[in-house]
């Protein structure tokens, strides 16, 4: 299943990490979280299909 | 002449020697490689496997890419990526990129798989819309503080001056 990593920024907005195919050839999504999520941030691994494709209000997205 | 180390198919190992300072590695009497004071040279038609080619090649031996013409040195990209920044963000292809962080509208961080030696790199980028005809052109912008040896955060600015998602964003970095 295609995965994404979601974390909340200090200003309340959220960032979503999309792995590259080249990374997933040799690493896991958990290893990516350890490398690319800012230190100390709580993160969540979700299915890509759970991320809305309508980005009209992208800057207002929050994690619930 | 030379010192010959020959794997003979009849007699096994056959050694012949002289004082030339040169060694020939042979198989069934045919030269495979020659070692002398300047290094190792493969015989005509013989090659080293890629797995044997580890270590560092002297920069004096690599002053141009094989496809380059002219005498000026040429440089290859350290990082590159092509992605769709609209809808469900999709990375089409990449090199030395572990992930893309979607920070908001037109706001992305490119995370490098292998860190660079310095943050004083050069970026070249391109954006375009396929379907949005009112903002067909754009450029990437970044703050100095968002440029590190492990990632760079950029925003995509449309020709109207607004930060926008683009359908095609491609990016390469040189150092």
């Amino acid at each position: 299943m295609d995965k994404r990593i979601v974390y909340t920024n200090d200003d309340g907005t959220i960032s979503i990490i999309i792995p590259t195919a080249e990374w997933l050839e040799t690493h896991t999504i958990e290893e990516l979280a350890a490398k690319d999520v800012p230190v100390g941030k709580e993160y969540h691994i979700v299915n890509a299909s759970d991320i809305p494709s309508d980005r009209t209000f992208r800057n207002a997205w929050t994690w619930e | 002449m030379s010192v010959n180390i020959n794997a003979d198919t009849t007699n096994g190992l056959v050694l012949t020697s002289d004082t030339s300072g040169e060694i020939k590695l042979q198989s069934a009497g045919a030269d495979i490689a020659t070692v002398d004071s300047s290094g190792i040279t493969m015989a005509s038609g013989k090659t080293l496997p890629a797995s044997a080619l580890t270590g560092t090649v002297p920069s004096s031996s690599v002053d141009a890419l094989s496809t380059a013409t002219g005498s000026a040195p040429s440089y290859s990209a350290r990082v590159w990526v092509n992605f769709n920044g609209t809808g469900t963000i999709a990375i089409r292809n990449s090199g030395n990129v572990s992930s893309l962080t979607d920070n908001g509208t037109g706001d992305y961080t490119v995370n490098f798989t292998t860190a660079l030696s310095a943050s004083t790199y050069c970026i070249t980028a391109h954006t375009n819309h396929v379907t949005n005809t009112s903002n067909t052109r754009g450029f990437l912008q970044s703050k100095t503080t968002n440029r590190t040896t492990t990632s760079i955060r950029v925003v995509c600015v449309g020709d109207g001056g607004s930060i926008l998602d683009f359908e095609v964003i491609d990016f390469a970095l040189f150092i």
Side-chain angles (χ1 to χ4, degrees), chain B residues 91-111:
Chain B
I91 300 165
R92 297 184 179 93
N93 213 337
S94 66
N96 195 27
V97 176
S98 59
S99 69
L100 190 72
T101 305
D102 161 23
N103 301 299
T105 301
D107 184 340
Y108 314 97
T109 301
V110 179
N111 299 300

Side-chain angles (χ1 to χ4, degrees), chain B residues 66-88:
Chain B
S66 61
T67 52
T69 58
S71 58
S74 54
Y75 304 90
S76 54
R78 298 283 187 161
V79 176
W80 62 273
V81 65
N82 177 319
F83 64 97
N84 182 349
T86 64
T88 300

